[in-house]
Amino acid sequence: MMQHLDMALLSAFLERWQPDTNTFHMPFGEISILLHDVHHILRIPVDGELMVDEASQDTLKSDMGGLVRLSVDA
């Protein structure tokens, strides 16, 4: 697994995500995260070939839950 990920930080962002507006509701206001931000926060590459996936909402939740070691119900 990616050892450099800050699971507490990632979990905090997941808790504040608002899928209806594609923004995060933080204590200081509403913010959007850009792809450039993802690169700097998570230190993962964001360049290269475009990848498109038509995964269901449940699949995406499960995959993200696995990344942060939480069940979908949590």
Side-chain angles (χ1 to χ4, degrees), residues 44-55:
I44 57 175
V46 294
D47 56 352
E49 295 294 319
L50 176 64
M51 295 177 56
V52 178
D53 190 5
E54 295 294 327

Side-chain angles (χ1 to χ4, degrees), residues 27-68:
F28 49 83
E30 189 174 289
I31 62 169
S32 295
I33 299 290
L34 303 174
L35 195 55
H36 178 79
D37 301 321
V38 171
H39 170 70
H40 286 284
I41 293 169
L42 300 179
R43 291 185 283 156
I44 57 175
V46 294
D47 56 352
E49 295 294 319
L50 176 64
M51 295 177 56
V52 178
D53 190 5
E54 295 294 327
S56 70
Q57 189 81 3
D58 290 335
T59 300
L60 294 173
K61 285 181 183 178
S62 176
D63 290 349
M64 185 54 83
L67 180 64
V68 295

Side-chain angles (χ1 to χ4, degrees), residues 7-33 70 74:
M7 292 302 171
L9 176 63
L10 196 51
S11 178
F13 276 119
L14 288 174
E15 290 173 4
R16 291 168 174 84
W17 175 248
Q18 300 297 312
D20 53 324
T21 59
N22 293 322
T23 58
F24 293 92
H25 290 200
M26 307 301 274
F28 49 83
E30 189 174 289
I31 62 169
S32 295
I33 299 290
L70 292 174

